[in-house]
Amino acid sequence: MSEGGDKIIDTISVGSAPTTTGFNPVSRLLYVFNSNDGTVSIIDTATNKINDTIDTDPFISLIEFGFNPVANRVYMAFNNNTIRILDAGSNQFTGSIAVDGGISGIAVNPS
């Protein structure tokens, strides 16, 4: 969409059944969860090209993305009560956090 939101300026093909998106305002990267193939497409919004596609798990759903631009981390909250931590520089997962009681969203304090 154009910055005014009134005109489509490009179409970008991602994985199967894109459902959840998250935008990092510092890096200007758009993260798209593709639910049927369990991947995340990472799109450079300056070029409208896919920078990378990472595997998650095709049997779980992503609820929400959270971003820590200070630590350059992306937090992905999944419906299996797990938060996975992605190093946004290498696009590699660096860890996970198990959560009791279910996840309905995520917020990150970058300090």
Side-chain angles (χ1 to χ4, degrees):
M1 295 294 287
S2 63
E3 287 194 23
D6 57 354
K7 185 175 96 172
I8 295 173
I9 57 172
D10 206 347
T11 301
I12 304 164
S13 295
V14 295
S16 179
T19 56
T20 307
T21 61
F23 180 69
N24 184 333
V26 174
S27 67
R28 307 213 29 97
L29 295 176
L30 178 67
Y31 292 76
V32 180
F33 178 68
N34 308 300
S35 62
N36 281 359
D37 56 12
T39 62
V40 174
S41 300
I42 304 170
I43 300 168
D44 182 337
T45 60
T47 63
N48 293 333
K49 303 289 183 207
I50 295 177
N51 274 2
D52 202 354
T53 301
I54 57 172
D55 292 321
T56 59
D57 186 332
F59 303 108
I60 59 174
S61 293
L62 181 74
I63 296 170
E64 191 172 14
F65 290 99
F67 299 95
N68 183 335
V70 174
N72 203 25
R73 300 283 186 263
V74 180
Y75 295 83
M76 299 180 195
F78 290 94
N79 70 343
N80 68 343
N81 300 332
T82 303
I83 298 171
R84 294 188 71 190
I85 305 162
L86 182 78
D87 179 310
S90 67
N91 290 334
Q92 299 293 314
F93 285 105
T94 61
S96 64
I97 302 166
V99 178
D100 289 331
I103 299 172
S104 60
I106 190 167
V108 177
N109 181 348
S111 59

